[in-house]
Amino acid sequence: TQLLEQSPQFLSIQEGENLTVYCNSSSVFSSLQWYRQEPGEGPVLLVTVVTGGEVKKLKRLTFQFGDARKDSSLHITAAQPGDTGLYLCAGVWGTYKYIFGTGTRLKVLA
Amino acid sequence: NAGVTQTPKFRVLKTGQSMTLLCAQDMNHEYMYWYRQDPGMGLRLIHYSVGEGTTAKGEVPDGYNVSRLKKQNFLLGLESAAPSQTSVYFCASSYGTAYNQPQHFGDGTRLSIL
């Protein structure tokens, strides 16, 4: 049973636009991670958020963990073609169990 | 700087054949994982291991077996391959308690079952 829903599933935008990706669950997680995956490669970690309400910034990417630690969002400002990829959120249960979201496939057009 | 290495990268099998996927990590990580990735489904956990000699079932374990005889290796076996097992398989490892640790992934094995 998939416990993490991501939206939107697909997103195609022009270079310079802003976008937000959502990751929602009915479960509470110890922490939540965001990964980006390029074609033919495995996912690579972007950030981990641990505390409810936490906000982390990574250059043009802003990650937020919901107050109740059940949801998260990823906001990209002024998207660039290099941001193109599959974005995955992963909720962490306990000490070693990960549940991955369904993924958001982003394409940024030049 | 190998990280997590998966072999083979591609494989085509006929229904009923068996094979083993190998995952090797050189980061001395305790935890290792096998996932499958299918379109629209994200990554689903097949089996995982929290240390040498231990394994446990994940979300979709049916039709697969695993072994972790050495800390650095985690093997995924398909005893009798079925078309439903056509997928991209990823191995990952992580260090210690995972709540703030990243999983390090290999580049995947693309498996087709005819």
Side-chain angles (χ1 to χ4, degrees):
Chain A
T1 303
Q2 188 62 264
L3 298 177
L4 269 180
E5 294 291 334
Q6 282 186 242
S7 61
Q9 271 192 296
F10 303 95
L11 194 54
S12 181
I13 61 172
Q14 294 292 325
E15 182 176 4
E17 292 184 357
N18 301 332
L19 67 115
T20 302
V21 176
Y22 299 94
C23 176
N24 295 297
S25 174
S26 57
S27 302
V28 176
F29 295 107
S30 303
S31 63
L32 194 135
Q33 300 177 339
W34 285 92
Y35 291 80
R36 187 170 78 190
Q37 185 179 14
E38 308 281 352
E41 298 180 3
V44 176
L45 181 73
L46 295 173
V47 77
T48 300
V49 285
V50 179
T51 306
E54 182 177 2
V55 177
K56 279 192 175 179
K57 292 191 175 183
L58 186 67
K59 297 183 180 178
R60 294 175 293 101
L61 279 61
T62 302
F63 304 85
Q64 184 164 7
F65 201 13
D67 291 340
R69 305 208 316 279
K70 293 182 179 181
D71 55 86
S72 181
S73 64
L74 157 60
H75 182 79
I76 301 179
T77 303
Q80 298 177 0
D83 296 326
T84 293
L86 178 67
Y87 289 82
L88 296 160
C89 61
V92 184
W93 278 354
T95 57
Y96 52 78
K97 292 186 179 179
Y98 297 78
I99 295 293
F100 279 82
T102 47
T104 294
R105 193 166 296 280
L106 171 65
K107 187 169 186 178
V108 182
L109 305 170
Chain B
N1 193 16
V4 177
T5 303
Q6 291 185 233
T7 53
K9 296 189 184 304
F10 304 95
R11 186 73 183 269
V12 178
L13 291 178
K14 293 182 179 179
T15 298
Q17 287 185 318
S18 64
M19 79 161 296
T20 301
L21 280 64
L22 172 64
C23 176
Q25 53 95 3
D26 61 2
M27 297 171 283
N28 201 34
H29 285 170
E30 286 294 333
Y31 302 124
M32 297 187 75
Y33 308 80
W34 275 108
Y35 293 92
R36 60 178 289 173
Q37 186 174 37
D38 302 292
M41 302 288 287
L43 286 159
R44 291 183 293 169
L45 182 64
I46 304 171
H47 286 280
Y48 63 96
S49 169
V50 300
E52 181 178 316
T54 71
T55 63
K57 294 180 179 180
E59 184 184 0
V60 288
D62 293 343
Y64 305 95
N65 56 75
V66 289
S67 64
R68 183 117 182 252
L69 299 179
K70 293 183 178 181
K71 186 177 183 179
Q72 64 268 32
N73 296 335
F74 196 28
L75 279 62
L76 178 70
L78 284 74
E79 290 188 347
S80 179
S84 60
Q85 294 177 304
T86 293
S87 187
V88 181
Y89 291 85
F90 286 97
C91 175
S93 69
S94 65
Y95 175 78
T97 53
Y99 87 100
N100 66 346
Q101 297 292 327
Q103 288 194 304
H104 297 264
F105 285 85
D107 286 337
T109 294
R110 189 173 297 275
L111 184 61
S112 294
I113 315 295
L114 304 179

